[in-house]
């Protein structure tokens, strides 16, 4: 039976880093994500929320929240990089498991600086780089499953080596489905004009997790014309609240339902940096919109106070 369990993440509150004065404080994020009606969250950057398992579990319980996944970045395409990546994974995976999470979302490091947008390396991988990436991800996924009981979900990303649909498909066809599947981020796919529904229909068994996000096609036209780095694209409004962008959320959710999948679907709207009063109203409107998208498979929490009014 299909189940699409909708949640949110610190990203939708403008959070990209463990500690940054331009970001929403963690206490405010937790208060507001619960008030908006979400009962499932991701942990966000390691260190943004408490890293002590007992403290984090108590904090989540106080706000009526559960955790779907932790998140790490990887650079496995680089030689001799596995041990460094694994050191990060052990921290995040251990904390995720301790508070009941089921997944580890793994994102490729952008080839541009994630804050300034400055180029750090070539935007394309050679054959050896692709081999290091895919074999490294298979090893990572196997060890995470065996040692932490979590499922690795690979997240394509703007300004990374796996962003275009052809690159996503190459990655899927080069990795082991026993250990690595996709966190299909609908916004990052659309950022490069990819077809989310086509990916779902071509690889339904590889869709293990969702990030729900839309992009503004007019801003993407500018991104392409001016070769804007992703941080600048976000500041320009590339990621937009549904239903005002692409892809169509009803079509994406319908394709998931058609495939009979059981997935978490985490709302992520990149807004770093953003005014402190901006995220909550957007989160509330998005919660209402997704709850009305017309698929009976959507499971979404209740905004604070609504159960009392009813």
């Amino acid at each position: 039976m299909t189940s699409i369990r909708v949640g949110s993440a610190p990203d939708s509150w403008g959070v990209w880093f463990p500690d940054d004065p331009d970001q929403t404080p963690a206490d405010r994020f937790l208060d507001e994500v619960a008030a908006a009606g979400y009962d499932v969250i991701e942990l966000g950057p390691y260190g943004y929320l408490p890293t002590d398992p007992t403290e984090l579990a108590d904090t989540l319980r106080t706000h009526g929240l559960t955790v779907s996944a932790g998140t790490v970045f990887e650079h496995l395409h680089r030689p001799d990089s596995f041990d460094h990546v694994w050191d990060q994974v052990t921290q995040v995976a251990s904390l995720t498991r301790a508070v009941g999470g089921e997944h580890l979302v793994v994102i490729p490091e952008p080839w541009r600086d994630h804050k300034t947008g400055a180029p750090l390396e070539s935007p394309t991988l050679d054959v050896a780089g692709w081999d290091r990436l895919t074999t490294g991800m298979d090893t990572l996924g196997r060890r995470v499953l065996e040692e932490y009981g979590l499922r690795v979900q690979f997240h394509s990303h703007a300004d990374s080596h796996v962003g275009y649909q052809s690159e996503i498909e190459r990655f899927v066809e080069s990795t082991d489905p026993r250990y690595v599947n996709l966190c299909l981020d609908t916004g990052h796919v659309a950022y490069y004009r990819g077809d989310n529904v086509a990916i779902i229909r071509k690889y339904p068994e590889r869709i293990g997790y969702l990030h729900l996000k839309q992009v503004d096609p007019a801003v993407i036209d500018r991104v392409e014309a001016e070769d804007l780095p992703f941080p600048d694209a976000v500041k320009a409004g590339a990621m937009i609240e549904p239903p005002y962008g692409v892809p169509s959320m009803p079509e994406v959710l319908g394709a998931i339902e058609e495939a009979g999948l059981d997935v978490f679907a985490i709302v992520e709207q990149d807004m770093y940096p953003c005014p402190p009063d901006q995220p909550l109203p957007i989160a509330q409107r998005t919660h209402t919109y997704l709850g009305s998208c017309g698929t009976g498979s959507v499971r979404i929490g209740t905004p604070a106070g609504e159960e009392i009014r009813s």
Side-chain angles (χ1 to χ4, degrees):
M1 183 176 178
T2 302
S3 176
I4 305 170
R5 190 168 180 194
V6 178
S8 193
D11 185 53
S12 293
W13 269 256
V15 175
W16 279 6
F17 305 101
D19 184 26
D20 189 297
D22 290 330
Q23 296 181 162
T24 303
D27 289 346
R28 180 167 182 172
F29 159 68
L30 292 165
D31 288 343
E32 292 187 352
V33 72
Y38 298 102
D39 56 9
V40 178
I41 63 166
E42 287 182 0
L43 294 179
Y46 183 78
Y48 176 67
L49 296 179
T51 57
D52 177 78
T54 301
E55 181 184 356
L56 178 58
D58 289 344
T59 299
L60 294 168
R61 190 178 306 111
T62 297
H63 290 84
L65 299 169
T66 59
V67 167
S68 59
T71 303
V72 296
F73 281 83
E74 60 79 21
H75 49 271
L76 293 170
H77 63 284
R78 300 174 192 162
D80 303 317
S81 59
F82 188 89
D83 288 346
H84 183 264
V85 173
W86 183 251
D87 286 344
Q88 300 173 66
V89 166
T90 57
Q91 290 182 314
V92 177
S94 178
L95 183 63
T96 302
R97 181 184 64 178
V99 293
E102 300 175 26
H103 302 276
L104 186 70
V105 176
V106 180
I107 304 174
E109 287 279 2
W111 57 267
R112 284 167 158 156
D113 186 271
H114 202 53
K115 195 163 190 176
T116 68
L120 301 172
E121 58 185 325
S122 170
T124 58
L125 289 181
D126 58 16
V127 172
W130 267 101
D131 184 63
R132 286 191 293 268
L133 169 62
T134 54
T135 58
M137 281 300 304
D138 281 345
T139 301
L140 187 74
R142 177 182 56 79
R143 288 190 61 181
V144 167
L145 180 61
E146 291 175 353
E147 297 181 33
Y148 296 97
L150 304 178
R151 295 284 178 179
V152 161
Q153 311 295 345
F154 184 84
H155 178 309
S156 66
H157 200 282
D159 281 353
S160 84
H161 296 108
V162 186
Y164 289 92
Q165 185 165 341
S166 60
E167 295 166 341
I168 296 169
E169 294 187 0
R170 180 178 180 178
F171 178 86
V172 168
E173 292 169 7
S174 302
T175 49
D176 191 330
R178 293 176 298 173
Y179 305 122
V180 182
N181 285 299
L182 289 181
C183 167
L184 186 71
D185 185 299
T186 60
H188 283 274
V189 171
Y191 188 90
Y192 288 122
R193 316 287 189 178
D195 187 333
N196 283 276
V197 171
I199 293 172
I200 294 167
R201 289 177 175 164
K202 186 172 183 178
Y203 304 108
E205 73 286 353
R206 301 301 298 273
I207 309 300
Y209 198 91
L210 292 177
H211 279 172
L212 299 181
K213 185 182 301 178
Q214 287 190 329
V215 299
D216 184 334
V219 177
I220 297 305
D221 288 343
R222 181 186 163 201
V223 169
E224 292 182 342
E226 301 178 20
D227 190 29
L228 291 181
F230 182 64
D232 291 349
V234 169
K235 291 174 184 175
M239 301 303 177
I240 191 169
E241 69 177 281
Y244 304 112
V246 296
S248 161
M249 288 292 106
E251 290 182 8
V252 168
L253 296 172
I256 293 293
E257 189 171 57
E258 178 184 294
L261 302 180
D262 182 1
V263 292
F264 286 101
I266 304 302
V267 177
E268 273 204 334
Q269 184 180 342
D270 291 294
M271 294 192 294
Y272 175 85
C274 65
D277 294 332
Q278 183 178 358
L280 178 57
I282 293 175
Q284 291 169 322
R285 292 192 297 267
T286 301
H287 182 282
T288 299
Y289 172 72
L290 292 173
S292 67
C293 275
T295 168
S297 301
V298 169
R299 306 286 181 263
I300 195 166
T302 304
E306 187 168 299
E307 68 279 2
I308 297 175
R309 291 195 302 270
S310 62

